[in-house]
Amino acid sequence: MKFNLKNTFTEELPADPVTENSRRQVKGACFSYVLPKQTKAPEVLHVSLEMAEALGISESDIASEMFTKIFTGNKVLPNTKPYAICYGGHQFGQWAGQLGDGRAINLFEVEHKGQQWTVQLKGAGETPYSRSADGLAVLRSSIREYLCSEAMHYLGIPTTRALSLALSGDEVLRDMLYDGNSAYEKGAIVSRISPSFLRFGNYEILASRQDHKTLKTLVDYTIKHHFEHLGKPSKETYINFFAEVAERTLDMIIHWQRVGFVHGVMNTDNMSVLGLTIDYGPYGWLEGFDFGWTPNTTDSQHKRYRYGNQPNIGLWNLYQLANTLYPLIEDPKPLEAILEQYKTDFEKKSLDMMRSKLGLLQKDDKDNLLIETLEDTLLLSETDMTIFFRNLGKFKKGDAKKGLEIVKDAFYAPNEVSSDIAQQWRDWFERYDFRLDKELLTDLERQSKMNAVNPKYVLRNYMAQLAIDDANKGDYKLIDELFQLLKQPYAEQPEHEKWFAKRPDWARHKVGCSMLSCSS
Ligand code: AMP
Ligand code: MG
């Protein structure tokens, strides 16, 4: 296995001078050198071949013992020095101080086909940032991260990627529901790949310590390697940098809203500065359309990170980043203007996104109302978001009476759709039909546009859980089946029609399906 190594992060940023792997506050540095843990019986369960190819790893490399050793942390590639990164963060609205890569270890950077990648192991042992935890990850959360990050990529949503999923061969003790019932679970390691794993929290920790020198070094490094089109560092460049981070963050969240993805833990340490979806923990997918839904049991009281609140939280997090960058800019006005712009852009982009879901290419002043009424009607009885929008593509102009029939598979309890609700649906379909008069496309053309934004297959919460249940019994076939299915989420895949179905009733209140804790 040969890589075109490029260690910009460790060569250009200040390192923690202490090399002992002990938990501590790390100041004046961006990372600490640390070695991954040796594991008992490493075993690779799945590899993303496309990701391997993007890194220049061949199929014979994948089959080698070396691959297994490197991507489970059991061997360090010559001429590389693994490291854990220092960051802080606001968790659930409160400043939490230093957090850092507590169980992620960055192995090396690779440049391949003009793209820079950082290769990281998640669950490969403790680091100076592990605080009171063990640095490990269990199989269930690793399957969820592995499958979802690749699925998001194929949905066209900016995300960190995954190369491999492996068992460590060690057992890991977890109290899954935080109720005093700890049990041993299989330990696992995911190799994650991203142009960079920098988060808002990387900058926040430096500003919180008033270490403006290192803050400037890190921002300059970020611009040089990841926003090079912005040019040489200056106050103006920093402003443009913040504007672009804000724009990317919003675009990512609009994508989440489009497909019904709920991140679950939008703390500032989980916000990528590149606008990538990062840290797949207790995330979930909307089944019944519901602005108030969150999969994260840790957040069940305040539901801060509920579906409908994600755009606001994006803005809240950007306020923290604005405060962080202020010492380099020393003028609040341009920062405030960018935050204001986020609000206006959100209204516009959100409306455009919803128009695209409805197959509306033209613009009409009353579209907002049409969409609001649709959302209100969707909330009247439990309605599967994915099935509803996918089936809406089958609507035919001039046939409003058939509307309800077309989407009826999306209702969880069709018998409970009262005559009053049915009437509201009929009214809405009349309005939709009337609005379609303004459109120029044929029914078929409109459907194909809608099918390109309304996925047919998403990683429903229960699907990941089925793969996890099988894997815990040593059967990994479903991981591959779902992986392959989710590579073409917008395509009709008749052989996989069974995955285009509402959540089964057994999964409604099952742990892992509708309820996920941060324990992973
Ligand atoms: P998360 O909620 O997964 O974003 O994690 C928040 C912080 O806790 C990050 O600094 C993680 O690195 C750290 N963390 C989470 N789980 C573990 C673990 N098992 N061992 C060490 N650190 C962890
Ligand atoms: Mg995290």
Side-chain angles (χ1 to χ4, degrees), residues 1 3 44 55 57 66-75 107-108 119-121 163-166 189-191 193:
M1 225 171 331
F3 290 107
V44 174
L55 293 168
I57 302 173
M66 190 66 153
F67 182 92
T68 302
K69 284 193 171 154
I70 289 175
F71 293 101
T72 55
N74 285 288
K75 181 159 175 59
L107 295 183
F108 47 81
V119 176
Q120 179 187 86
L121 302 182
L163 169 68
S164 62
L165 167 71
I189 297 166
V190 172
S191 62
I193 317 288

Side-chain angles (χ1 to χ4, degrees), residues 99-146:
L99 300 166
D101 284 336
R103 56 167 166 177
I105 297 180
N106 303 277
L107 295 183
F108 47 81
E109 283 170 47
V110 180
E111 197 181 280
H112 191 65
K113 293 187 180 155
Q115 171 70 55
Q116 186 178 341
W117 297 106
T118 300
V119 176
Q120 179 187 86
L121 302 182
K122 184 165 174 178
E126 58 193 75
T127 76
Y129 310 99
S130 298
R131 295 179 294 153
S132 59
D134 57 10
L136 305 175
V138 293
L139 183 56
R140 63 184 151 81
S141 63
S142 304
I143 292 174
R144 285 170 49 83
E145 172 136 27
Y146 179 74

Side-chain angles (χ1 to χ4, degrees), residues 504-519:
D505 221 40
W506 59 260
R508 178 180 290 269
H509 300 297
K510 188 171 159 35
V511 172
C513 296
S514 58
M515 289 185 285
L516 290 139
S517 74
C518 286
S519 161

Side-chain angles (χ1 to χ4, degrees), residues 402-422:
K402 289 241 176 74
L404 201 49
E405 181 65 22
I406 285 170
V407 301
K408 78 167 192 322
D409 280 350
F411 298 129
Y412 275 87
N415 299 335
E416 284 166 27
V417 177
S418 64
S419 54
D420 181 41
I421 296 177

Side-chain angles (χ1 to χ4, degrees), residues 331 498 504:
D331 179 4
K498 70 169 177 195

